[in-house]
Amino acid sequence: MDTAREKGNVVAFLGPKASYTHQATLQKFGDQNFHIVPMTSIDDVFAAVQAGSATHGVVPFENSSNGPVLFTLDLFADADKRHPDIVVEAEIYLPVHHCLVGQRAAKALHTAKATDAPSLSQVREDLDTSPVVSGAATPTQTAPQPARPRVQPLHSIKHIQHVHSHPQAWGQCKAFLTAYLKQAEKHDVSSTSRAAEIVATDSTGVSAAVSSKLAAELNGLDVLAEGIEDTQGNSTRFFVLRRRQDVEGHVNASSTEGVNGPVANAHDDQAQLFKSLISFTVDHAEPGALADSLAVFKKHGLNLTSINTRPSGARPWNYVFFVELMGRKRGDGDGGKVNVALDELGRVVKTYRWLGSWEKMTKD
Amino acid sequence: MDTAREKGNVVAFLGPKASYTHQATLQKFGDQNFHIVPMTSIDDVFAAVQAGSATHGVVPFENSSNGPVLFTLDLFADADKRHPDIVVEAEIYLPVHHCLVGQRAAKALHTAKATDAPSLSQVREDLDTSPVVSGAATPTQTAPQPARPRVQPLHSIKHIQHVHSHPQAWGQCKAFLTAYLKQAEKHDVSSTSRAAEIVATDSTGVSAAVSSKLAAELNGLDVLAEGIEDTQGNSTRFFVLRRRQDVEGHVNASSTEGVNGPVANAHDDQAQLFKSLISFTVDHAEPGALADSLAVFKKHGLNLTSINTRPSGARPWNYVFFVELMGRKRGDGDGGKVNVALDELGRVVKTYRWLGSWEKMTKD
């Protein structure tokens, strides 16, 4: 590891340990050549890569059920111009299997203190009744046919009064939480693994966390239910961050005429193998400015795969737009489709930024 | 009020009382002709309008600093097809001034119970020191020049250990919270007014809420700081929901040839006075499908003002797109620009939905 650090291969990821980002990081950088360092916020990961204290950063970008991670998008928008050099170098897909983790009722009864009388009686009541609750959410006017959860609890969870997790997890486990934990109080914390840590410190046993199985193991907790996410195939996409100058070195090198020229041309024909992320702002006073910007990509046959809008941070009701498209930017002046489109984009928008090109990974 | 209810003018809004949505509702429907009813979720507002138990619904759609309300977007996406008839009939802009509300330190000392010893000593310590903390956030690598909050607390807030609010409020008050309440634990609750209710029940006085001044008044709390939002001119846009059949009646009537024909033509020339919301899905297997869809709007000279993307809910990594544009749909077969564009859009997308046209309001 020290060798890795000396060689400068430091990967900063959104921690703490056992977070989904940690798992994604291990999937990509899980060998001895990288020194892997947890950071406390997505912001810290961006800052570490920008400052050069890490060569790589790994941050969550988008969940298949819940949409983009707004905090990451806002850091790419970079209203404060703190990360001018950050680009995406790669993407990582990680299947997400949420678990409900905590203490089993019998164990909770054993460890509960005398001062925790209400919890204790609650736990006793649980032990007298069926091991699991019904799993049928009550139909309401709002949800006449509530979605049935995909799994049942492995153990009784009637003693659970508090559930801790990252806000994104609530949206991903709606059916299970509605069916089994509607009355429990939800507490937002900074990560799913932090949630497991908090639950491990609760001696009354009435708290649970929505987190990974790995987090349960690391914190000595029981898995009370496994795979509680609504959608089968739920996965999260992570981005590997680099400094622009480090990546452009590669791009320039690989497009040098005579060395990799033919390869570069081959890549151009294989636009479907690469993706790029671009942000831009338009003059809101000019009608059609957004449509004109998007028309540039169409003109050059670049297939847009997603569009996102965030407040620009500059003035109220001003936006920064993000497009992701198939294809990649090549070395300066290389004349690839993305390069030409970016040049043209620059003439119709107020500002724009190339935020990286990378090889497309499969989604599952 | 009963007369209003008999006449069928029932407005469902996202409650509870004193919520920002309540204030927006009063701004638009604040006379005797409407019976105003709080609902517990945005979902419930959609359901009440769809079911016809309310003639109008008011929901938050977008904040100038924080972006769209994702939950509202997802209800418009309507993956479960529960709200096929919901359209937007009007928009309301409301300036948002967040306050930190709770109990002043002296008062908290007075009301704190003997059993709350740690809180009590904390409060005493506060009284011995300066009335406010510094307001200077510590520069870090992440934020070398942290934004300075726009206001100072009106009273000491050093006794505050817990802050409750709606998740959107954290993003809107970053500078103040970072400068003055970095160590306080943040608790997400369903609304800013619910946060104030919770704080009112905390006899130790160490809790505060980020909410409106009105919520402080209704709950007998002190305003500890006023206008703590980051951006001057922070405002939220709300949508008034109707059933499509109720709105289309109007549109058809006003476009009847010979009666309102000239007026309708005049409106067409005044596209800048109206906005429309449209959602659509594309075939993700078809390259360029998204660009083709957007090109339709450009072709007909329709100015896109925003674009949003949300997971479609149908399959992982499938999206529903939302565009907002200047102009309005008129009666069926009326041949307005928006009508023609929608017909054409239908030929390039997988599905689309007109989600309403309404008169543009000013932003401040």
Side-chain angles (χ1 to χ4, degrees):
Chain A
M1 300 242 282
D2 282 340
T3 320
R5 195 195 276 269
E6 278 159 27
K7 278 164 51 188
N9 291 324
V10 175
V11 185
F13 69 92
L14 175 63
K17 280 181 186 177
S19 67
Y20 290 107
T21 311
H22 190 186
Q23 295 177 44
T25 305
L26 290 174
Q27 185 178 305
K28 176 109 187 158
F29 300 101
D31 63 48
Q32 294 299 317
N33 293 326
F34 291 92
H35 182 64
I36 294 178
V37 185
M39 311 296 280
T40 55
S41 70
I42 299 174
D43 204 328
D44 289 338
V45 177
F46 272 72
V49 177
Q50 176 64 44
S53 57
T55 51
H56 300 71
V58 182
V59 295
F61 183 68
E62 186 183 15
N63 175 269
S64 56
S65 316
N66 228 19
V69 179
L70 300 185
F71 203 69
T72 302
L73 272 181
D74 287 345
L75 288 166
F76 278 118
D78 201 19
D80 304 332
K81 302 203 185 342
R82 291 192 288 118
H83 317 121
D85 300 321
I86 295 288
V87 294
V88 179
E89 190 197 42
E91 64 184 12
I92 308 166
Y93 285 92
L94 185 82
V96 171
H97 298 297
H98 288 306
C99 296
L100 185 77
V101 311
Q103 292 183 42
R104 281 159 49 184
K107 203 163 148 193
L109 175 65
H110 188 256
T111 55
K113 294 177 204 156
T115 52
D116 300 322
S119 322
L120 198 62
S121 64
Q122 173 69 37
V123 169
R124 283 216 180 90
E125 190 188 313
D126 290 344
L127 292 175
D128 294 334
T129 57
S130 67
V132 293
V133 289
S134 77
T138 313
T140 59
Q141 186 186 350
T142 301
Q145 296 178 306
R148 274 195 83 84
R150 293 173 46 243
V151 297
Q152 286 193 356
L154 302 168
H155 305 284
S156 172
I157 56 172
K158 288 182 71 180
H159 60 295
I160 302 302
Q161 295 168 16
H162 298 270
V163 186
H164 302 259
S165 199
H166 187 274
Q168 288 251 350
W170 309 134
Q172 292 167 19
C173 307
K174 265 185 216 155
F176 184 90
L177 295 172
T178 306
Y180 294 108
L181 291 162
K182 204 181 168 81
Q183 305 308 324
E185 204 175 322
K186 312 295 183 301
H187 302 270
D188 286 37
V189 293
S190 55
S191 71
T192 55
S193 38
R194 175 79 191 116
E197 286 176 15
I198 289 169
V199 169
T201 66
D202 175 13
S203 58
T204 68
V206 298
S207 297
V210 175
S211 66
S212 67
K213 202 169 179 175
L214 180 58
E217 284 165 18
L218 283 180
N219 290 284
L221 295 171
D222 299 316
V223 174
L224 303 177
E226 192 170 351
I228 64 171
E229 62 272 10
D230 292 342
T231 314
Q232 215 158 4
N234 185 12
S235 63
T236 297
R237 185 160 63 124
F238 299 82
F239 277 162
V240 176
L241 308 180
R242 298 293 305 272
R243 276 202 298 187
R244 187 187 168 118
Q245 47 270 44
D246 301 333
V247 174
E248 286 190 329
H250 285 291
V251 177
N252 281 323
S254 72
S255 69
T256 306
E257 193 80 51
V259 178
N260 286 305
V263 176
N265 284 335
H267 278 159
D268 209 24
D269 293 337
Q270 295 168 5
Q272 300 309 313
L273 298 181
F274 296 93
K275 289 190 202 166
S276 296
L277 181 68
I278 292 153
S279 68
F280 60 92
T281 60
V282 302
D283 186 344
H284 288 276
E286 195 184 313
L290 175 55
D292 288 345
S293 314
L294 296 169
V296 169
F297 301 112
K298 178 165 170 61
K299 180 179 162 190
H300 293 283
L302 293 165
N303 185 17
L304 304 185
T305 55
S306 84
I307 297 192
N308 280 289
T309 309
R310 292 294 301 155
S312 74
R315 284 181 50 200
W317 308 110
N318 273 237
Y319 302 101
V320 54
F321 301 99
F322 293 89
V323 298
E324 209 174 326
L325 50 83
M326 304 303 295
R328 66 163 190 164
K329 181 173 178 275
R330 297 189 293 165
D332 286 338
D334 193 38
K337 272 193 214 175
V338 175
N339 303 51
V340 176
L342 283 173
D343 283 346
E344 210 170 312
L345 184 68
R347 292 196 287 272
V348 297
V349 298
K350 217 162 126 188
T351 64
Y352 80 96
R353 200 169 138 188
W354 170 72
L355 288 165
S357 298
W358 63 93
E359 192 179 346
K360 185 188 168 192
M361 292 291 121
T362 52
K363 290 174 180 173
D364 33 39
Chain B
M1 300 245 279
D2 283 338
T3 320
R5 194 195 276 268
E6 280 159 27
K7 279 166 48 190
N9 291 324
V10 175
V11 185
F13 69 93
L14 174 65
K17 283 182 185 178
S19 67
Y20 289 107
T21 311
H22 191 186
Q23 294 176 43
T25 305
L26 290 174
Q27 184 179 306
K28 176 106 186 159
F29 299 101
D31 61 48
Q32 293 299 314
N33 293 326
F34 291 92
H35 182 64
I36 294 176
V37 185
M39 311 296 278
T40 54
S41 71
I42 298 174
D43 204 325
D44 288 339
V45 178
F46 272 72
V49 177
Q50 176 64 42
S53 58
T55 52
H56 300 71
V58 182
V59 295
F61 183 69
E62 186 183 16
N63 177 268
S64 57
S65 316
N66 228 18
V69 179
L70 300 185
F71 202 69
T72 302
L73 272 181
D74 287 344
L75 288 167
F76 278 119
D78 201 18
D80 304 332
K81 303 204 184 340
R82 291 193 290 115
H83 317 122
D85 300 320
I86 296 289
V87 294
V88 178
E89 192 198 41
E91 65 183 11
I92 309 165
Y93 284 93
L94 184 82
V96 171
H97 298 299
H98 287 305
C99 296
L100 184 78
V101 311
Q103 292 183 43
R104 282 158 49 185
K107 205 164 146 191
L109 176 64
H110 188 254
T111 56
K113 296 176 203 157
T115 50
D116 300 321
S119 323
L120 197 66
S121 65
Q122 174 67 35
V123 170
R124 282 216 181 88
E125 190 188 310
D126 289 345
L127 293 175
D128 293 335
T129 56
S130 64
V132 291
V133 288
S134 77
T138 313
T140 61
Q141 185 185 352
T142 302
Q145 296 179 307
R148 273 194 84 84
R150 294 173 46 244
V151 298
Q152 284 193 357
L154 302 167
H155 305 285
S156 171
I157 57 172
K158 288 182 71 180
H159 60 296
I160 301 301
Q161 295 168 16
H162 298 271
V163 186
H164 301 259
S165 198
H166 186 274
Q168 287 252 348
W170 309 134
Q172 293 166 19
C173 306
K174 267 184 216 155
F176 184 90
L177 294 172
T178 306
Y180 294 109
L181 290 162
K182 204 181 169 83
Q183 305 309 324
E185 203 175 323
K186 311 295 183 300
H187 302 270
D188 286 37
V189 291
S190 55
S191 72
T192 55
S193 37
R194 176 76 192 118
E197 285 176 16
I198 290 170
V199 169
T201 66
D202 175 11
S203 58
T204 68
V206 297
S207 296
V210 175
S211 65
S212 67
K213 203 171 180 175
L214 178 58
E217 284 165 18
L218 283 180
N219 289 285
L221 295 171
D222 299 317
V223 174
L224 302 175
E226 192 171 351
I228 64 171
E229 63 272 10
D230 291 343
T231 315
Q232 216 157 4
N234 185 11
S235 62
T236 297
R237 183 160 67 123
F238 299 83
F239 277 162
V240 177
L241 308 180
R242 298 295 304 275
R243 277 203 296 187
R244 187 186 167 118
Q245 47 268 47
D246 300 335
V247 174
E248 286 191 328
H250 285 293
V251 177
N252 281 322
S254 72
S255 67
T256 305
E257 192 79 52
V259 178
N260 286 305
V263 177
N265 285 334
H267 279 159
D268 209 23
D269 294 336
Q270 295 168 5
Q272 299 309 313
L273 298 181
F274 296 93
K275 288 190 202 165
S276 297
L277 182 66
I278 292 154
S279 68
F280 61 91
T281 60
V282 301
D283 185 346
H284 288 277
E286 194 184 313
L290 175 57
D292 289 344
S293 315
L294 297 169
V296 170
F297 301 112
K298 176 162 172 64
K299 179 180 163 190
H300 293 283
L302 293 166
N303 185 18
L304 303 185
T305 54
S306 84
I307 297 192
N308 280 289
T309 309
R310 292 294 299 154
S312 74
R315 285 181 50 200
W317 307 111
N318 273 235
Y319 301 100
V320 53
F321 301 99
F322 293 89
V323 298
E324 210 175 325
L325 50 81
M326 304 303 294
R328 67 162 187 162
K329 180 172 177 277
R330 298 189 294 165
D332 284 341
D334 194 39
K337 270 193 217 176
V338 175
N339 302 50
V340 176
L342 284 173
D343 283 346
E344 209 169 311
L345 183 68
R347 292 196 287 274
V348 296
V349 298
K350 216 160 126 190
T351 63
Y352 79 97
R353 198 169 140 190
W354 170 73
L355 289 164
S357 298
W358 63 92
E359 193 178 342
K360 185 189 168 194
M361 293 290 119
T362 52
K363 289 175 181 174
D364 34 34

Short mmCIF file of all heavy atoms in Angstrom, two decimals, chain B residues 197-228:
data_model
loop_
_atom_site.label_atom_id
_atom_site.label_comp_id
_atom_site.label_asym_id
_atom_site.label_seq_id
_atom_site.Cartn_x
_atom_site.Cartn_y
_atom_site.Cartn_z
N GLU B 197 -43.58 22.36 14.69
CA GLU B 197 -44.43 21.65 15.65
C GLU B 197 -43.60 20.75 16.56
O GLU B 197 -43.82 20.70 17.77
CB GLU B 197 -45.45 20.77 14.91
CG GLU B 197 -46.61 21.54 14.27
CD GLU B 197 -47.52 20.60 13.46
OE1 GLU B 197 -47.45 19.38 13.64
OE2 GLU B 197 -48.30 21.12 12.65
N ILE B 198 -42.65 20.04 15.95
CA ILE B 198 -41.79 19.14 16.73
C ILE B 198 -40.98 19.92 17.76
O ILE B 198 -40.88 19.52 18.93
CB ILE B 198 -40.85 18.34 15.78
CG1 ILE B 198 -41.66 17.33 14.98
CG2 ILE B 198 -39.74 17.65 16.57
CD1 ILE B 198 -40.88 16.67 13.85
N VAL B 199 -40.42 21.04 17.31
CA VAL B 199 -39.60 21.85 18.21
C VAL B 199 -40.43 22.38 19.37
O VAL B 199 -39.96 22.46 20.51
CB VAL B 199 -38.93 23.00 17.42
CG1 VAL B 199 -38.30 24.01 18.35
CG2 VAL B 199 -37.91 22.42 16.44
N ALA B 200 -41.69 22.70 19.11
CA ALA B 200 -42.57 23.23 20.15
C ALA B 200 -42.81 22.21 21.27
O ALA B 200 -43.13 22.58 22.40
CB ALA B 200 -43.90 23.66 19.55
N THR B 201 -42.64 20.92 20.95
CA THR B 201 -42.87 19.89 21.97
C THR B 201 -41.60 19.53 22.74
O THR B 201 -41.65 18.71 23.65
CB THR B 201 -43.40 18.58 21.33
OG1 THR B 201 -42.36 18.04 20.51
CG2 THR B 201 -44.64 18.83 20.49
N ASP B 202 -40.47 20.13 22.38
CA ASP B 202 -39.20 19.81 23.05
C ASP B 202 -39.01 20.72 24.25
O ASP B 202 -38.65 21.89 24.11
CB ASP B 202 -38.03 19.96 22.05
CG ASP B 202 -36.70 19.76 22.75
OD1 ASP B 202 -36.69 19.30 23.91
OD2 ASP B 202 -35.67 20.08 22.13
N SER B 203 -39.21 20.16 25.46
CA SER B 203 -39.17 21.00 26.65
C SER B 203 -37.74 21.39 27.04
O SER B 203 -37.54 22.27 27.86
CB SER B 203 -39.84 20.26 27.81
OG SER B 203 -39.18 19.04 28.02
N THR B 204 -36.74 20.73 26.47
CA THR B 204 -35.36 21.05 26.84
C THR B 204 -34.87 22.32 26.16
O THR B 204 -33.89 22.92 26.58
CB THR B 204 -34.40 19.90 26.46
OG1 THR B 204 -34.33 19.84 25.03
CG2 THR B 204 -34.88 18.57 27.01
N GLY B 205 -35.52 22.73 25.08
CA GLY B 205 -35.16 23.97 24.41
C GLY B 205 -33.92 23.88 23.56
O GLY B 205 -33.44 24.89 23.05
N VAL B 206 -33.38 22.67 23.36
CA VAL B 206 -32.14 22.57 22.58
C VAL B 206 -32.41 22.25 21.11
O VAL B 206 -31.50 21.98 20.34
CB VAL B 206 -31.18 21.50 23.16
CG1 VAL B 206 -30.75 21.90 24.56
CG2 VAL B 206 -31.81 20.11 23.14
N SER B 207 -33.69 22.28 20.71
CA SER B 207 -34.04 22.02 19.32
C SER B 207 -34.50 23.29 18.63
O SER B 207 -35.08 24.18 19.26
CB SER B 207 -35.19 20.99 19.24
OG SER B 207 -34.78 19.76 19.76
N ALA B 208 -34.24 23.36 17.35
CA ALA B 208 -34.73 24.48 16.56
C ALA B 208 -35.20 23.93 15.21
O ALA B 208 -34.89 22.80 14.85
CB ALA B 208 -33.63 25.52 16.35
N ALA B 209 -35.98 24.76 14.50
CA ALA B 209 -36.47 24.36 13.19
C ALA B 209 -36.12 25.43 12.17
O ALA B 209 -36.03 26.61 12.50
CB ALA B 209 -37.98 24.16 13.22
N VAL B 210 -35.90 25.02 10.94
CA VAL B 210 -35.83 25.96 9.83
C VAL B 210 -37.24 25.97 9.23
O VAL B 210 -37.69 24.96 8.68
CB VAL B 210 -34.80 25.55 8.78
CG1 VAL B 210 -34.85 26.50 7.58
CG2 VAL B 210 -33.40 25.52 9.37
N SER B 211 -37.94 27.08 9.39
CA SER B 211 -39.32 27.16 8.91
C SER B 211 -39.71 28.60 8.70
O SER B 211 -38.86 29.49 8.74
CB SER B 211 -40.27 26.47 9.90
OG SER B 211 -40.28 27.17 11.11
N SER B 212 -40.98 28.84 8.47
CA SER B 212 -41.43 30.21 8.20
C SER B 212 -41.72 30.95 9.50
O SER B 212 -41.91 30.34 10.55
CB SER B 212 -42.69 30.18 7.34
OG SER B 212 -43.76 29.63 8.09
N LYS B 213 -41.78 32.28 9.41
CA LYS B 213 -42.14 33.10 10.56
C LYS B 213 -43.54 32.75 11.03
O LYS B 213 -43.81 32.69 12.23
CB LYS B 213 -42.07 34.57 10.11
CG LYS B 213 -41.87 35.55 11.21
CD LYS B 213 -41.60 36.93 10.65
CE LYS B 213 -41.40 37.93 11.76
NZ LYS B 213 -41.00 39.26 11.22
N LEU B 214 -44.42 32.50 10.07
CA LEU B 214 -45.80 32.13 10.39
C LEU B 214 -45.85 30.87 11.24
O LEU B 214 -46.62 30.78 12.21
CB LEU B 214 -46.59 31.93 9.08
CG LEU B 214 -48.05 31.50 9.18
CD1 LEU B 214 -48.87 32.51 9.98
CD2 LEU B 214 -48.66 31.35 7.77
N ALA B 215 -44.99 29.88 10.90
CA ALA B 215 -44.95 28.63 11.68
C ALA B 215 -44.47 28.90 13.10
O ALA B 215 -44.93 28.28 14.05
CB ALA B 215 -44.04 27.61 10.99
N ALA B 216 -43.53 29.84 13.28
CA ALA B 216 -43.06 30.21 14.61
C ALA B 216 -44.22 30.80 15.42
O ALA B 216 -44.46 30.43 16.57
CB ALA B 216 -41.91 31.21 14.52
N GLU B 217 -44.95 31.71 14.80
CA GLU B 217 -46.07 32.36 15.48
C GLU B 217 -47.13 31.33 15.90
O GLU B 217 -47.59 31.33 17.04
CB GLU B 217 -46.72 33.40 14.56
CG GLU B 217 -45.89 34.67 14.45
CD GLU B 217 -46.33 35.56 13.27
OE1 GLU B 217 -47.46 35.36 12.78
OE2 GLU B 217 -45.53 36.42 12.85
N LEU B 218 -47.48 30.44 14.99
CA LEU B 218 -48.53 29.47 15.27
C LEU B 218 -48.13 28.48 16.37
O LEU B 218 -48.99 27.89 17.02
CB LEU B 218 -48.89 28.68 14.00
CG LEU B 218 -49.75 29.41 12.98
CD1 LEU B 218 -50.03 28.51 11.78
CD2 LEU B 218 -51.09 29.86 13.60
N ASN B 219 -46.81 28.28 16.56
CA ASN B 219 -46.35 27.31 17.54
C ASN B 219 -45.75 27.94 18.79
O ASN B 219 -45.13 27.25 19.60
CB ASN B 219 -45.33 26.36 16.89
CG ASN B 219 -45.99 25.42 15.90
OD1 ASN B 219 -46.67 24.47 16.27
ND2 ASN B 219 -45.85 25.72 14.61
N GLY B 220 -45.91 29.25 18.94
CA GLY B 220 -45.41 29.94 20.13
C GLY B 220 -43.90 29.88 20.27
O GLY B 220 -43.37 29.80 21.38
N LEU B 221 -43.19 29.92 19.16
CA LEU B 221 -41.72 29.85 19.20
C LEU B 221 -41.10 31.22 18.92
O LEU B 221 -41.74 32.09 18.34
CB LEU B 221 -41.23 28.82 18.17
CG LEU B 221 -41.64 27.37 18.41
CD1 LEU B 221 -41.29 26.50 17.21
CD2 LEU B 221 -40.96 26.83 19.67
N ASP B 222 -39.85 31.36 19.33
CA ASP B 222 -39.10 32.59 19.06
C ASP B 222 -38.42 32.50 17.70
O ASP B 222 -37.95 31.43 17.31
CB ASP B 222 -38.01 32.80 20.11
CG ASP B 222 -38.58 32.94 21.51
OD1 ASP B 222 -39.59 33.65 21.66
OD2 ASP B 222 -38.03 32.31 22.43
N VAL B 223 -38.36 33.62 17.01
CA VAL B 223 -37.55 33.68 15.78
C VAL B 223 -36.11 33.98 16.21
O VAL B 223 -35.82 35.05 16.72
CB VAL B 223 -38.08 34.77 14.83
CG1 VAL B 223 -37.13 34.92 13.64
CG2 VAL B 223 -39.48 34.42 14.35
N LEU B 224 -35.23 32.97 16.07
CA LEU B 224 -33.83 33.12 16.51
C LEU B 224 -32.97 33.76 15.43
O LEU B 224 -31.93 34.35 15.71
CB LEU B 224 -33.26 31.74 16.89
CG LEU B 224 -34.04 30.98 17.98
CD1 LEU B 224 -33.44 29.59 18.18
CD2 LEU B 224 -34.04 31.76 19.29
N ALA B 225 -33.38 33.61 14.17
CA ALA B 225 -32.69 34.26 13.04
C ALA B 225 -33.69 34.33 11.90
O ALA B 225 -34.52 33.44 11.74
CB ALA B 225 -31.45 33.46 12.64
N GLU B 226 -33.60 35.38 11.14
CA GLU B 226 -34.60 35.61 10.09
C GLU B 226 -33.93 35.81 8.74
O GLU B 226 -32.91 36.48 8.65
CB GLU B 226 -35.43 36.86 10.46
CG GLU B 226 -36.66 37.00 9.61
CD GLU B 226 -37.61 38.11 10.12
OE1 GLU B 226 -37.38 38.63 11.23
OE2 GLU B 226 -38.56 38.44 9.39
N GLY B 227 -34.49 35.20 7.72
CA GLY B 227 -33.92 35.35 6.36
C GLY B 227 -32.60 34.63 6.22
O GLY B 227 -31.64 35.15 5.66
N ILE B 228 -32.54 33.37 6.69
CA ILE B 228 -31.26 32.65 6.73
C ILE B 228 -30.94 31.97 5.41
O ILE B 228 -29.95 31.25 5.29
CB ILE B 228 -31.22 31.62 7.89
CG1 ILE B 228 -32.27 30.52 7.69
CG2 ILE B 228 -31.42 32.30 9.23
CD1 ILE B 228 -32.14 29.36 8.67
#
